[in-house]
Amino acid sequence: MDDDIFDSSLNLEEAHLKEGFNEGYKDGLDSGKEDGKQVGLKTGFEIGEELGFYKGCVDIWNSVIHVDPTQFSSRVQKGIKQMEELIEKYPVMEPENENVHEIMDGLRLKFKAVCASMGVKLEYNGYPKSSSDANEMGF
């Protein structure tokens, strides 16, 4: 009979330990999902903003080409076309696609090359990424 008393105490401790673990695991999973969602929203916004910047540049340059095709060299026009293709190729609806970094890096390089070929100093700055960047911008 004494064994039953100790067994139930050991089982009670084990049951509470298991219950506590399960509750902690569930809370951690919920918290992790929310944190992941917030990081995903922020990252998606930043990428979308950068893609929009490049798309805006391409649209303006294409408008210039439409009005005066001699305004830009064939090399610059080819670079603009390649930028447009990279923007269209970017898998916006597939964030886990392995090509996203490769495409974005290619787009950034092509943008720099086009700007250099035109002799303009234009760059994408985006929103400040840290407080030190905000201080540099005078915020």
Side-chain angles (χ1 to χ4, degrees):
M1 194 158 180
D2 289 333
D3 288 341
D4 291 339
I5 293 172
F6 293 121
D7 282 345
S8 64
S9 294
L10 288 175
N11 289 338
L12 183 62
E13 181 180 355
E14 189 176 312
H16 284 292
L17 187 65
K18 187 174 182 177
E19 182 182 337
F21 174 84
N22 289 338
E23 286 178 20
Y25 183 83
K26 182 186 175 300
D27 289 348
L29 195 59
D30 292 344
S31 174
K33 284 181 182 178
E34 184 58 34
D35 290 348
K37 179 180 175 183
Q38 293 306 315
V39 169
L41 286 170
K42 181 179 182 291
T43 303
F45 176 81
E46 291 170 355
I47 294 296
E49 181 186 51
E50 188 173 2
L51 280 171
F53 171 79
Y54 296 133
K55 176 74 168 123
C57 291
V58 166
D59 288 349
I60 289 170
W61 294 332
N62 279 331
S63 294
V64 171
I65 292 167
H66 182 73
V67 172
D68 182 5
T70 64
Q71 188 66 36
F72 299 130
S73 69
S74 61
R75 179 178 175 199
V76 169
Q77 289 186 35
K78 181 180 176 186
I80 294 168
K81 181 71 175 158
Q82 289 170 336
M83 280 184 67
E84 190 171 22
E85 290 168 357
L86 285 168
I87 292 167
E88 290 172 5
K89 190 177 172 183
Y90 191 89
V92 175
M93 301 307 285
E94 299 175 47
E96 293 181 17
N97 187 316
E98 294 176 11
N99 295 326
V100 294
H101 296 294
E102 181 182 314
I103 293 169
M104 189 56 87
D105 288 345
L107 185 55
R108 289 175 183 133
L109 286 172
K110 189 55 65 179
F111 175 75
K112 288 178 183 178
V114 168
C115 288
S117 296
M118 282 194 251
V120 296
K121 186 172 175 136
L122 183 64
E123 60 184 70
Y124 172 74
N125 291 325
Y127 286 148
K129 303 288 188 255
S130 69
S131 59
S132 64
D133 292 341
N135 290 337
E136 289 174 14
M137 296 187 73
F139 289 98

